[in-house]
Amino acid sequence: MKRRQNGPVNNSNTLDKSGRPNKIISMQETLNHKNCFALEEESKFNSIWMGSDADWTTLNINLGMDPADALKQAEKALEHYRTNLNDFWNIHGLTAGQGYGVDGQPWCTSHYSFHLVLWHIPLALSGQRYSAVEQKLTFEPKLKVPYLLPFFTPFASGTVQAKKLNGRIKYMVTVTSGKLEVILLAVSKSMLPKTKVSLSQGEYVSWERK
């Protein structure tokens, strides 16, 4: 795709009301912004991509960073929506950088679907791996016991929980919506001692390990 050049626009094929050829004007004049293309170039490099915070957090959780430290980066973007803009629904793609004239404000794609990037974070925290073909659901949570984390599959959602009980660890998987059907369910390499699991909304399974 070719980029438009900042050159003159020839409107000689059109006439004004008096029948005379229109004046040849520049593209900048049509946009009424003398520095439009300079700003375009600047925005390619100095605007802030809001999805990078959540991606950075997710990547570093998966690489073994302490989740409490990794989550601080995503918190910056969320607090910008929540506190600075006071508009938590305005999940936008780019934030204007310095010199834009609207520094720190949404620059493009306002009320966008960038919130979907944030959903990578709970999957990273729970270490969820799901295979619909093999009917397997496993978790390798990055948090220390006790914890309560969400899980999501195309057919069901719910929670995976772990807590200490009399020197043992008790795991519990609860379905809050949909239906979960798997032949292997495991948390931290501890498998549920059943060959098949079928859970509907409000149902759960639990087991213990040393």
Side-chain angles (χ1 to χ4, degrees):
M1 181 177 179
K2 293 184 178 180
R3 182 174 176 271
R4 292 187 302 178
Q5 299 297 319
N6 183 19
V9 178
N10 191 342
N11 289 331
S12 58
N13 292 331
T14 60
L15 303 177
D16 61 18
K17 292 182 179 180
S18 64
R20 291 176 297 183
N22 280 321
K23 174 187 175 183
I24 296 177
I25 58 176
S26 70
M27 184 65 74
Q28 288 181 347
E29 288 177 303
T30 64
L31 295 173
N32 195 28
H33 195 312
K34 293 182 179 180
N35 199 30
C36 179
F37 291 99
L39 186 58
E40 177 191 351
E41 288 298 322
E42 182 180 353
S43 68
K44 291 178 181 178
F45 304 103
N46 294 334
S47 55
I48 302 167
W49 181 49
M50 299 304 289
S52 60
D53 297 278
D55 280 350
W56 189 94
T57 293
T58 299
L59 176 62
N60 280 281
I61 290 174
N62 282 314
L63 289 175
M65 178 182 283
D66 186 326
D69 292 331
L71 286 168
K72 291 178 182 178
Q73 189 66 32
E75 185 180 5
K76 292 180 181 179
L78 289 172
E79 279 302 310
H80 180 64
Y81 302 135
R82 180 189 292 117
T83 305
N84 297 339
L85 297 177
N86 196 25
D87 187 359
F88 201 47
W89 294 108
N90 191 3
I91 307 297
H92 52 276
L94 294 175
T95 294
Q98 293 182 344
Y100 282 49
V102 286
D103 303 7
Q105 296 296 311
W107 180 242
C108 71
T109 57
S110 291
H111 299 88
Y112 189 47
S113 58
F114 250 47
H115 64 90
L116 294 175
V117 184
L118 296 166
W119 289 92
H120 298 165
I121 296 176
L123 295 175
L125 288 171
S126 68
Q128 176 183 321
R129 295 292 183 270
Y130 173 71
S131 171
V133 175
E134 298 178 341
Q135 289 187 289
K136 295 180 180 180
L137 178 60
T138 63
F139 302 94
E140 290 292 338
K142 305 302 188 297
L143 301 180
K144 295 180 180 179
V145 179
Y147 57 75
L148 176 64
L149 295 167
F151 78 82
F152 316 94
T153 76
F155 309 103
S157 61
T159 60
V160 54
Q161 182 178 6
K163 58 183 179 181
K164 294 181 179 179
L165 185 66
N166 299 324
R168 300 172 67 86
I169 297 178
K170 181 178 181 179
Y171 298 113
M172 179 181 295
V173 174
T174 304
V175 172
T176 56
S177 67
K179 188 171 185 177
L180 178 66
E181 292 185 312
V182 293
I183 59 175
L184 187 150
L185 178 62
V187 181
S188 299
K189 297 181 175 57
S190 175
M191 293 177 53
L192 175 70
K194 283 186 177 181
T195 56
K196 186 175 182 179
V197 178
S198 180
L199 299 174
S200 298
Q201 181 176 343
E203 297 179 337
Y204 68 90
V205 290
S206 63
W207 68 102
E208 297 179 8
R209 65 174 291 185
K210 292 183 179 180

PDB file of all heavy atoms in Angstrom, residues 29-65:
ATOM      1  N   GLU A  29      -3.364  21.732   3.203  1.00  0.00           N
ATOM      2  CA  GLU A  29      -4.421  22.734   3.279  1.00  0.00           C
ATOM      3  C   GLU A  29      -5.791  22.079   3.366  1.00  0.00           C
ATOM      4  O   GLU A  29      -6.681  22.557   4.057  1.00  0.00           O
ATOM      5  CB  GLU A  29      -4.350  23.659   2.066  1.00  0.00           C
ATOM      6  CG  GLU A  29      -3.174  24.615   2.094  1.00  0.00           C
ATOM      7  CD  GLU A  29      -3.110  25.448   0.837  1.00  0.00           C
ATOM      8  OE1 GLU A  29      -3.037  24.863  -0.261  1.00  0.00           O
ATOM      9  OE2 GLU A  29      -3.155  26.686   0.949  1.00  0.00           O
ATOM     10  N   THR A  30      -5.973  20.957   2.664  1.00  0.00           N
ATOM     11  CA  THR A  30      -7.268  20.281   2.717  1.00  0.00           C
ATOM     12  C   THR A  30      -7.532  19.730   4.105  1.00  0.00           C
ATOM     13  O   THR A  30      -8.671  19.618   4.533  1.00  0.00           O
ATOM     14  CB  THR A  30      -7.333  19.130   1.697  1.00  0.00           C
ATOM     15  OG1 THR A  30      -6.365  18.140   2.043  1.00  0.00           O
ATOM     16  CG2 THR A  30      -7.065  19.623   0.289  1.00  0.00           C
ATOM     17  N   LEU A  31      -6.466  19.365   4.826  1.00  0.00           N
ATOM     18  CA  LEU A  31      -6.626  18.828   6.173  1.00  0.00           C
ATOM     19  C   LEU A  31      -6.594  19.926   7.231  1.00  0.00           C
ATOM     20  O   LEU A  31      -6.818  19.661   8.399  1.00  0.00           O
ATOM     21  CB  LEU A  31      -5.511  17.816   6.458  1.00  0.00           C
ATOM     22  CG  LEU A  31      -5.541  16.559   5.585  1.00  0.00           C
ATOM     23  CD1 LEU A  31      -4.294  15.717   5.831  1.00  0.00           C
ATOM     24  CD2 LEU A  31      -6.789  15.741   5.863  1.00  0.00           C
ATOM     25  N   ASN A  32      -6.285  21.156   6.807  1.00  0.00           N
ATOM     26  CA  ASN A  32      -6.268  22.295   7.721  1.00  0.00           C
ATOM     27  C   ASN A  32      -5.338  22.054   8.904  1.00  0.00           C
ATOM     28  O   ASN A  32      -5.667  22.337  10.047  1.00  0.00           O
ATOM     29  CB  ASN A  32      -7.690  22.602   8.216  1.00  0.00           C
ATOM     30  CG  ASN A  32      -7.772  23.980   8.863  1.00  0.00           C
ATOM     31  OD1 ASN A  32      -6.997  24.874   8.514  1.00  0.00           O
ATOM     32  ND2 ASN A  32      -8.695  24.151   9.795  1.00  0.00           N
ATOM     33  N   HIS A  33      -4.187  21.466   8.634  1.00  0.00           N
ATOM     34  CA  HIS A  33      -3.216  21.190   9.690  1.00  0.00           C
ATOM     35  C   HIS A  33      -1.834  21.263   9.056  1.00  0.00           C
ATOM     36  O   HIS A  33      -1.432  20.372   8.317  1.00  0.00           O
ATOM     37  CB  HIS A  33      -3.455  19.798  10.283  1.00  0.00           C
ATOM     38  CG  HIS A  33      -2.734  19.597  11.588  1.00  0.00           C
ATOM     39  ND1 HIS A  33      -1.411  19.911  11.775  1.00  0.00           N
ATOM     40  CD2 HIS A  33      -3.177  19.109  12.777  1.00  0.00           C
ATOM     41  CE1 HIS A  33      -1.050  19.628  13.008  1.00  0.00           C
ATOM     42  NE2 HIS A  33      -2.097  19.140  13.633  1.00  0.00           N
ATOM     43  N   LYS A  34      -1.104  22.331   9.334  1.00  0.00           N
ATOM     44  CA  LYS A  34       0.171  22.563   8.675  1.00  0.00           C
ATOM     45  C   LYS A  34       1.202  21.485   8.986  1.00  0.00           C
ATOM     46  O   LYS A  34       2.131  21.270   8.223  1.00  0.00           O
ATOM     47  CB  LYS A  34       0.716  23.935   9.074  1.00  0.00           C
ATOM     48  CG  LYS A  34      -0.121  25.092   8.555  1.00  0.00           C
ATOM     49  CD  LYS A  34       0.492  26.420   8.937  1.00  0.00           C
ATOM     50  CE  LYS A  34      -0.331  27.576   8.390  1.00  0.00           C
ATOM     51  NZ  LYS A  34       0.249  28.891   8.751  1.00  0.00           N
ATOM     52  N   ASN A  35       1.045  20.827  10.129  1.00  0.00           N
ATOM     53  CA  ASN A  35       2.049  19.845  10.525  1.00  0.00           C
ATOM     54  C   ASN A  35       1.459  18.441  10.589  1.00  0.00           C
ATOM     55  O   ASN A  35       1.902  17.601  11.349  1.00  0.00           O
ATOM     56  CB  ASN A  35       2.637  20.215  11.891  1.00  0.00           C
ATOM     57  CG  ASN A  35       3.972  19.532  12.128  1.00  0.00           C
ATOM     58  OD1 ASN A  35       4.704  19.257  11.185  1.00  0.00           O
ATOM     59  ND2 ASN A  35       4.275  19.251  13.375  1.00  0.00           N
ATOM     60  N   CYS A  36       0.446  18.181   9.770  1.00  0.00           N
ATOM     61  CA  CYS A  36      -0.277  16.911   9.850  1.00  0.00           C
ATOM     62  C   CYS A  36       0.630  15.719   9.607  1.00  0.00           C
ATOM     63  O   CYS A  36       0.614  14.753  10.356  1.00  0.00           O
ATOM     64  CB  CYS A  36      -1.425  16.901   8.847  1.00  0.00           C
ATOM     65  SG  CYS A  36      -2.365  15.361   8.837  1.00  0.00           S
ATOM     66  N   PHE A  37       1.443  15.785   8.564  1.00  0.00           N
ATOM     67  CA  PHE A  37       2.254  14.628   8.224  1.00  0.00           C
ATOM     68  C   PHE A  37       3.430  14.457   9.172  1.00  0.00           C
ATOM     69  O   PHE A  37       3.879  13.343   9.420  1.00  0.00           O
ATOM     70  CB  PHE A  37       2.721  14.721   6.772  1.00  0.00           C
ATOM     71  CG  PHE A  37       1.596  14.545   5.802  1.00  0.00           C
ATOM     72  CD1 PHE A  37       1.006  15.643   5.213  1.00  0.00           C
ATOM     73  CD2 PHE A  37       1.095  13.290   5.519  1.00  0.00           C
ATOM     74  CE1 PHE A  37      -0.048  15.491   4.334  1.00  0.00           C
ATOM     75  CE2 PHE A  37       0.037  13.124   4.644  1.00  0.00           C
ATOM     76  CZ  PHE A  37      -0.542  14.229   4.045  1.00  0.00           C
ATOM     77  N   ALA A  38       3.922  15.565   9.719  1.00  0.00           N
ATOM     78  CA  ALA A  38       4.961  15.457  10.743  1.00  0.00           C
ATOM     79  C   ALA A  38       4.395  14.762  11.969  1.00  0.00           C
ATOM     80  O   ALA A  38       5.051  13.933  12.599  1.00  0.00           O
ATOM     81  CB  ALA A  38       5.489  16.842  11.108  1.00  0.00           C
ATOM     82  N   LEU A  39       3.153  15.093  12.311  1.00  0.00           N
ATOM     83  CA  LEU A  39       2.508  14.463  13.463  1.00  0.00           C
ATOM     84  C   LEU A  39       2.241  12.986  13.193  1.00  0.00           C
ATOM     85  O   LEU A  39       2.356  12.148  14.078  1.00  0.00           O
ATOM     86  CB  LEU A  39       1.193  15.181  13.780  1.00  0.00           C
ATOM     87  CG  LEU A  39       0.470  14.734  15.052  1.00  0.00           C
ATOM     88  CD1 LEU A  39       1.369  14.914  16.260  1.00  0.00           C
ATOM     89  CD2 LEU A  39      -0.819  15.522  15.231  1.00  0.00           C
ATOM     90  N   GLU A  40       1.922  12.675  11.937  1.00  0.00           N
ATOM     91  CA  GLU A  40       1.711  11.277  11.572  1.00  0.00           C
ATOM     92  C   GLU A  40       2.977  10.467  11.794  1.00  0.00           C
ATOM     93  O   GLU A  40       2.953   9.368  12.345  1.00  0.00           O
ATOM     94  CB  GLU A  40       1.287  11.176  10.111  1.00  0.00           C
ATOM     95  CG  GLU A  40       1.115   9.735   9.626  1.00  0.00           C
ATOM     96  CD  GLU A  40       0.950   9.646   8.131  1.00  0.00           C
ATOM     97  OE1 GLU A  40       0.799  10.695   7.484  1.00  0.00           O
ATOM     98  OE2 GLU A  40       0.990   8.518   7.608  1.00  0.00           O
ATOM     99  N   GLU A  41       4.118  11.024  11.366  1.00  0.00           N
ATOM    100  CA  GLU A  41       5.384  10.329  11.554  1.00  0.00           C
ATOM    101  C   GLU A  41       5.705  10.169  13.037  1.00  0.00           C
ATOM    102  O   GLU A  41       6.166   9.127  13.483  1.00  0.00           O
ATOM    103  CB  GLU A  41       6.511  11.103  10.858  1.00  0.00           C
ATOM    104  CG  GLU A  41       6.474  11.023   9.347  1.00  0.00           C
ATOM    105  CD  GLU A  41       6.648   9.602   8.851  1.00  0.00           C
ATOM    106  OE1 GLU A  41       7.447   8.857   9.449  1.00  0.00           O
ATOM    107  OE2 GLU A  41       5.969   9.221   7.885  1.00  0.00           O
ATOM    108  N   GLU A  42       5.442  11.226  13.815  1.00  0.00           N
ATOM    109  CA  GLU A  42       5.733  11.178  15.245  1.00  0.00           C
ATOM    110  C   GLU A  42       4.869  10.138  15.944  1.00  0.00           C
ATOM    111  O   GLU A  42       5.328   9.413  16.826  1.00  0.00           O
ATOM    112  CB  GLU A  42       5.492  12.556  15.867  1.00  0.00           C
ATOM    113  CG  GLU A  42       5.813  12.603  17.354  1.00  0.00           C
ATOM    114  CD  GLU A  42       5.555  13.975  17.947  1.00  0.00           C
ATOM    115  OE1 GLU A  42       5.260  14.912  17.188  1.00  0.00           O
ATOM    116  OE2 GLU A  42       5.644  14.096  19.177  1.00  0.00           O
ATOM    117  N   SER A  43       3.601  10.038  15.532  1.00  0.00           N
ATOM    118  CA  SER A  43       2.678   9.130  16.213  1.00  0.00           C
ATOM    119  C   SER A  43       3.054   7.673  16.012  1.00  0.00           C
ATOM    120  O   SER A  43       2.664   6.812  16.787  1.00  0.00           O
ATOM    121  CB  SER A  43       1.246   9.372  15.726  1.00  0.00           C
ATOM    122  OG  SER A  43       1.108   8.983  14.372  1.00  0.00           O
ATOM    123  N   LYS A  44       3.828   7.394  14.963  1.00  0.00           N
ATOM    124  CA  LYS A  44       4.240   6.018  14.726  1.00  0.00           C
ATOM    125  C   LYS A  44       5.235   5.544  15.781  1.00  0.00           C
ATOM    126  O   LYS A  44       5.387   4.352  16.010  1.00  0.00           O
ATOM    127  CB  LYS A  44       4.871   5.888  13.340  1.00  0.00           C
ATOM    128  CG  LYS A  44       3.890   6.068  12.190  1.00  0.00           C
ATOM    129  CD  LYS A  44       4.617   5.964  10.864  1.00  0.00           C
ATOM    130  CE  LYS A  44       3.661   6.159   9.700  1.00  0.00           C
ATOM    131  NZ  LYS A  44       4.365   6.114   8.402  1.00  0.00           N
ATOM    132  N   PHE A  45       5.941   6.482  16.401  1.00  0.00           N
ATOM    133  CA  PHE A  45       7.019   6.105  17.303  1.00  0.00           C
ATOM    134  C   PHE A  45       6.811   6.566  18.742  1.00  0.00           C
ATOM    135  O   PHE A  45       7.301   5.934  19.665  1.00  0.00           O
ATOM    136  CB  PHE A  45       8.344   6.669  16.772  1.00  0.00           C
ATOM    137  CG  PHE A  45       8.651   6.250  15.368  1.00  0.00           C
ATOM    138  CD1 PHE A  45       8.473   7.128  14.313  1.00  0.00           C
ATOM    139  CD2 PHE A  45       9.085   4.967  15.093  1.00  0.00           C
ATOM    140  CE1 PHE A  45       8.748   6.730  13.012  1.00  0.00           C
ATOM    141  CE2 PHE A  45       9.356   4.567  13.799  1.00  0.00           C
ATOM    142  CZ  PHE A  45       9.188   5.448  12.751  1.00  0.00           C
ATOM    143  N   ASN A  46       6.113   7.672  18.952  1.00  0.00           N
ATOM    144  CA  ASN A  46       6.021   8.246  20.289  1.00  0.00           C
ATOM    145  C   ASN A  46       4.692   7.997  20.989  1.00  0.00           C
ATOM    146  O   ASN A  46       4.526   8.376  22.134  1.00  0.00           O
ATOM    147  CB  ASN A  46       6.280   9.759  20.228  1.00  0.00           C
ATOM    148  CG  ASN A  46       7.713  10.063  19.824  1.00  0.00           C
ATOM    149  OD1 ASN A  46       8.600   9.247  20.040  1.00  0.00           O
ATOM    150  ND2 ASN A  46       7.939  11.225  19.234  1.00  0.00           N
ATOM    151  N   SER A  47       3.718   7.419  20.293  1.00  0.00           N
ATOM    152  CA  SER A  47       2.477   7.066  20.976  1.00  0.00           C
ATOM    153  C   SER A  47       2.705   5.800  21.804  1.00  0.00           C
ATOM    154  O   SER A  47       3.635   5.034  21.562  1.00  0.00           O
ATOM    155  CB  SER A  47       1.350   6.848  19.967  1.00  0.00           C
ATOM    156  OG  SER A  47       1.723   5.875  19.013  1.00  0.00           O
ATOM    157  N   ILE A  48       1.851   5.597  22.797  1.00  0.00           N
ATOM    158  CA  ILE A  48       2.026   4.489  23.743  1.00  0.00           C
ATOM    159  C   ILE A  48       1.016   3.397  23.423  1.00  0.00           C
ATOM    160  O   ILE A  48      -0.194   3.627  23.461  1.00  0.00           O
ATOM    161  CB  ILE A  48       1.825   4.982  25.187  1.00  0.00           C
ATOM    162  CG1 ILE A  48       2.820   6.110  25.489  1.00  0.00           C
ATOM    163  CG2 ILE A  48       2.002   3.835  26.177  1.00  0.00           C
ATOM    164  CD1 ILE A  48       2.511   6.863  26.755  1.00  0.00           C
ATOM    165  N   TRP A  49       1.520   2.222  23.090  1.00  0.00           N
ATOM    166  CA  TRP A  49       0.653   1.083  22.780  1.00  0.00           C
ATOM    167  C   TRP A  49       0.185   0.463  24.088  1.00  0.00           C
ATOM    168  O   TRP A  49       0.965  -0.105  24.840  1.00  0.00           O
ATOM    169  CB  TRP A  49       1.408   0.065  21.931  1.00  0.00           C
ATOM    170  CG  TRP A  49       0.585  -1.119  21.557  1.00  0.00           C
ATOM    171  CD1 TRP A  49      -0.664  -1.115  21.018  1.00  0.00           C
ATOM    172  CD2 TRP A  49       0.946  -2.496  21.702  1.00  0.00           C
ATOM    173  NE1 TRP A  49      -1.109  -2.399  20.810  1.00  0.00           N
ATOM    174  CE2 TRP A  49      -0.137  -3.265  21.227  1.00  0.00           C
ATOM    175  CE3 TRP A  49       2.077  -3.148  22.188  1.00  0.00           C
ATOM    176  CZ2 TRP A  49      -0.119  -4.651  21.228  1.00  0.00           C
ATOM    177  CZ3 TRP A  49       2.090  -4.528  22.181  1.00  0.00           C
ATOM    178  CH2 TRP A  49       1.006  -5.266  21.700  1.00  0.00           C
ATOM    179  N   MET A  50      -1.123   0.555  24.356  1.00  0.00           N
ATOM    180  CA  MET A  50      -1.642   0.162  25.659  1.00  0.00           C
ATOM    181  C   MET A  50      -1.662  -1.352  25.869  1.00  0.00           C
ATOM    182  O   MET A  50      -1.733  -1.828  26.994  1.00  0.00           O
ATOM    183  CB  MET A  50      -3.045   0.742  25.848  1.00  0.00           C
ATOM    184  CG  MET A  50      -3.087   2.268  25.806  1.00  0.00           C
ATOM    185  SD  MET A  50      -1.989   3.037  27.012  1.00  0.00           S
ATOM    186  CE  MET A  50      -2.847   2.647  28.534  1.00  0.00           C
ATOM    187  N   GLY A  51      -1.612  -2.120  24.795  1.00  0.00           N
ATOM    188  CA  GLY A  51      -1.607  -3.568  24.950  1.00  0.00           C
ATOM    189  C   GLY A  51      -0.279  -4.122  25.431  1.00  0.00           C
ATOM    190  O   GLY A  51      -0.203  -5.272  25.870  1.00  0.00           O
ATOM    191  N   SER A  52       0.779  -3.314  25.350  1.00  0.00           N
ATOM    192  CA  SER A  52       2.104  -3.817  25.709  1.00  0.00           C
ATOM    193  C   SER A  52       2.214  -4.129  27.197  1.00  0.00           C
ATOM    194  O   SER A  52       2.953  -5.033  27.593  1.00  0.00           O
ATOM    195  CB  SER A  52       3.177  -2.798  25.312  1.00  0.00           C
ATOM    196  OG  SER A  52       2.967  -1.563  25.976  1.00  0.00           O
ATOM    197  N   ASP A  53       1.488  -3.390  28.043  1.00  0.00           N
ATOM    198  CA  ASP A  53       1.578  -3.626  29.492  1.00  0.00           C
ATOM    199  C   ASP A  53       1.074  -5.019  29.859  1.00  0.00           C
ATOM    200  O   ASP A  53       1.726  -5.757  30.601  1.00  0.00           O
ATOM    201  CB  ASP A  53       0.768  -2.567  30.250  1.00  0.00           C
ATOM    202  CG  ASP A  53       1.309  -1.173  30.032  1.00  0.00           C
ATOM    203  OD1 ASP A  53       2.278  -0.810  30.704  1.00  0.00           O
ATOM    204  OD2 ASP A  53       0.766  -0.462  29.168  1.00  0.00           O
ATOM    205  N   ALA A  54      -0.096  -5.376  29.339  1.00  0.00           N
ATOM    206  CA  ALA A  54      -0.658  -6.695  29.632  1.00  0.00           C
ATOM    207  C   ALA A  54       0.191  -7.803  29.021  1.00  0.00           C
ATOM    208  O   ALA A  54       0.394  -8.856  29.633  1.00  0.00           O
ATOM    209  CB  ALA A  54      -2.091  -6.777  29.118  1.00  0.00           C
ATOM    210  N   ASP A  55       0.695  -7.572  27.800  1.00  0.00           N
ATOM    211  CA  ASP A  55       1.549  -8.578  27.160  1.00  0.00           C
ATOM    212  C   ASP A  55       2.835  -8.793  27.953  1.00  0.00           C
ATOM    213  O   ASP A  55       3.296  -9.925  28.120  1.00  0.00           O
ATOM    214  CB  ASP A  55       1.892  -8.146  25.730  1.00  0.00           C
ATOM    215  CG  ASP A  55       0.762  -8.439  24.760  1.00  0.00           C
ATOM    216  OD1 ASP A  55      -0.181  -9.144  25.152  1.00  0.00           O
ATOM    217  OD2 ASP A  55       0.826  -7.968  23.613  1.00  0.00           O
ATOM    218  N   TRP A  56       3.435  -7.692  28.422  1.00  0.00           N
ATOM    219  CA  TRP A  56       4.667  -7.783  29.206  1.00  0.00           C
ATOM    220  C   TRP A  56       4.419  -8.571  30.488  1.00  0.00           C
ATOM    221  O   TRP A  56       5.225  -9.425  30.882  1.00  0.00           O
ATOM    222  CB  TRP A  56       5.168  -6.376  29.532  1.00  0.00           C
ATOM    223  CG  TRP A  56       6.529  -6.316  30.152  1.00  0.00           C
ATOM    224  CD1 TRP A  56       7.722  -6.142  29.511  1.00  0.00           C
ATOM    225  CD2 TRP A  56       6.844  -6.420  31.551  1.00  0.00           C
ATOM    226  NE1 TRP A  56       8.752  -6.140  30.418  1.00  0.00           N
ATOM    227  CE2 TRP A  56       8.245  -6.304  31.682  1.00  0.00           C
ATOM    228  CE3 TRP A  56       6.080  -6.601  32.702  1.00  0.00           C
ATOM    229  CZ2 TRP A  56       8.889  -6.356  32.907  1.00  0.00           C
ATOM    230  CZ3 TRP A  56       6.723  -6.658  33.932  1.00  0.00           C
ATOM    231  CH2 TRP A  56       8.108  -6.535  34.026  1.00  0.00           C
ATOM    232  N   THR A  57       3.299  -8.273  31.156  1.00  0.00           N
ATOM    233  CA  THR A  57       2.953  -8.977  32.392  1.00  0.00           C
ATOM    234  C   THR A  57       2.772 -10.466  32.140  1.00  0.00           C
ATOM    235  O   THR A  57       3.322 -11.308  32.857  1.00  0.00           O
ATOM    236  CB  THR A  57       1.669  -8.386  32.997  1.00  0.00           C
ATOM    237  OG1 THR A  57       1.928  -7.049  33.442  1.00  0.00           O
ATOM    238  CG2 THR A  57       1.181  -9.215  34.181  1.00  0.00           C
ATOM    239  N   THR A  58       1.999 -10.807  31.110  1.00  0.00           N
ATOM    240  CA  THR A  58       1.745 -12.211  30.784  1.00  0.00           C
ATOM    241  C   THR A  58       3.035 -12.950  30.457  1.00  0.00           C
ATOM    242  O   THR A  58       3.282 -14.062  30.945  1.00  0.00           O
ATOM    243  CB  THR A  58       0.783 -12.310  29.586  1.00  0.00           C
ATOM    244  OG1 THR A  58      -0.462 -11.696  29.931  1.00  0.00           O
ATOM    245  CG2 THR A  58       0.533 -13.755  29.198  1.00  0.00           C
ATOM    246  N   LEU A  59       3.871 -12.326  29.633  1.00  0.00           N
ATOM    247  CA  LEU A  59       5.132 -12.954  29.233  1.00  0.00           C
ATOM    248  C   LEU A  59       6.012 -13.242  30.440  1.00  0.00           C
ATOM    249  O   LEU A  59       6.555 -14.346  30.585  1.00  0.00           O
ATOM    250  CB  LEU A  59       5.868 -12.048  28.247  1.00  0.00           C
ATOM    251  CG  LEU A  59       7.257 -12.512  27.798  1.00  0.00           C
ATOM    252  CD1 LEU A  59       7.164 -13.845  27.067  1.00  0.00           C
ATOM    253  CD2 LEU A  59       7.915 -11.464  26.914  1.00  0.00           C
ATOM    254  N   ASN A  60       6.134 -12.271  31.344  1.00  0.00           N
ATOM    255  CA  ASN A  60       7.039 -12.449  32.474  1.00  0.00           C
ATOM    256  C   ASN A  60       6.495 -13.408  33.529  1.00  0.00           C
ATOM    257  O   ASN A  60       7.272 -14.079  34.212  1.00  0.00           O
ATOM    258  CB  ASN A  60       7.371 -11.088  33.087  1.00  0.00           C
ATOM    259  CG  ASN A  60       8.433 -10.367  32.287  1.00  0.00           C
ATOM    260  OD1 ASN A  60       9.616 -10.656  32.410  1.00  0.00           O
ATOM    261  ND2 ASN A  60       8.004  -9.446  31.434  1.00  0.00           N
ATOM    262  N   ILE A  61       5.184 -13.505  33.666  1.00  0.00           N
ATOM    263  CA  ILE A  61       4.614 -14.538  34.541  1.00  0.00           C
ATOM    264  C   ILE A  61       4.983 -15.914  34.002  1.00  0.00           C
ATOM    265  O   ILE A  61       5.404 -16.805  34.746  1.00  0.00           O
ATOM    266  CB  ILE A  61       3.088 -14.390  34.658  1.00  0.00           C
ATOM    267  CG1 ILE A  61       2.734 -13.144  35.465  1.00  0.00           C
ATOM    268  CG2 ILE A  61       2.472 -15.624  35.313  1.00  0.00           C
ATOM    269  CD1 ILE A  61       1.252 -12.832  35.507  1.00  0.00           C
ATOM    270  N   ASN A  62       4.848 -16.084  32.681  1.00  0.00           N
ATOM    271  CA  ASN A  62       5.190 -17.372  32.066  1.00  0.00           C
ATOM    272  C   ASN A  62       6.684 -17.665  32.118  1.00  0.00           C
ATOM    273  O   ASN A  62       7.089 -18.833  32.095  1.00  0.00           O
ATOM    274  CB  ASN A  62       4.702 -17.401  30.616  1.00  0.00           C
ATOM    275  CG  ASN A  62       3.207 -17.647  30.507  1.00  0.00           C
ATOM    276  OD1 ASN A  62       2.669 -18.530  31.164  1.00  0.00           O
ATOM    277  ND2 ASN A  62       2.529 -16.861  29.689  1.00  0.00           N
ATOM    278  N   LEU A  63       7.504 -16.614  32.199  1.00  0.00           N
ATOM    279  CA  LEU A  63       8.954 -16.805  32.276  1.00  0.00           C
ATOM    280  C   LEU A  63       9.447 -17.012  33.706  1.00  0.00           C
ATOM    281  O   LEU A  63      10.640 -17.203  33.924  1.00  0.00           O
ATOM    282  CB  LEU A  63       9.673 -15.610  31.644  1.00  0.00           C
ATOM    283  CG  LEU A  63       9.570 -15.493  30.119  1.00  0.00           C
ATOM    284  CD1 LEU A  63      10.220 -14.207  29.634  1.00  0.00           C
ATOM    285  CD2 LEU A  63      10.197 -16.704  29.429  1.00  0.00           C
ATOM    286  N   GLY A  64       8.524 -16.949  34.678  1.00  0.00           N
ATOM    287  CA  GLY A  64       8.904 -17.261  36.048  1.00  0.00           C
ATOM    288  C   GLY A  64       9.065 -16.081  36.984  1.00  0.00           C
ATOM    289  O   GLY A  64       9.467 -16.265  38.136  1.00  0.00           O
ATOM    290  N   MET A  65       8.759 -14.873  36.534  1.00  0.00           N
ATOM    291  CA  MET A  65       8.847 -13.719  37.429  1.00  0.00           C
ATOM    292  C   MET A  65       7.793 -13.825  38.523  1.00  0.00           C
ATOM    293  O   MET A  65       6.723 -14.410  38.319  1.00  0.00           O
ATOM    294  CB  MET A  65       8.652 -12.418  36.640  1.00  0.00           C
ATOM    295  CG  MET A  65       8.688 -11.156  37.495  1.00  0.00           C
ATOM    296  SD  MET A  65       8.413  -9.637  36.555  1.00  0.00           S
ATOM    297  CE  MET A  65      10.017  -9.454  35.780  1.00  0.00           C
TER     298      MET A  65
END
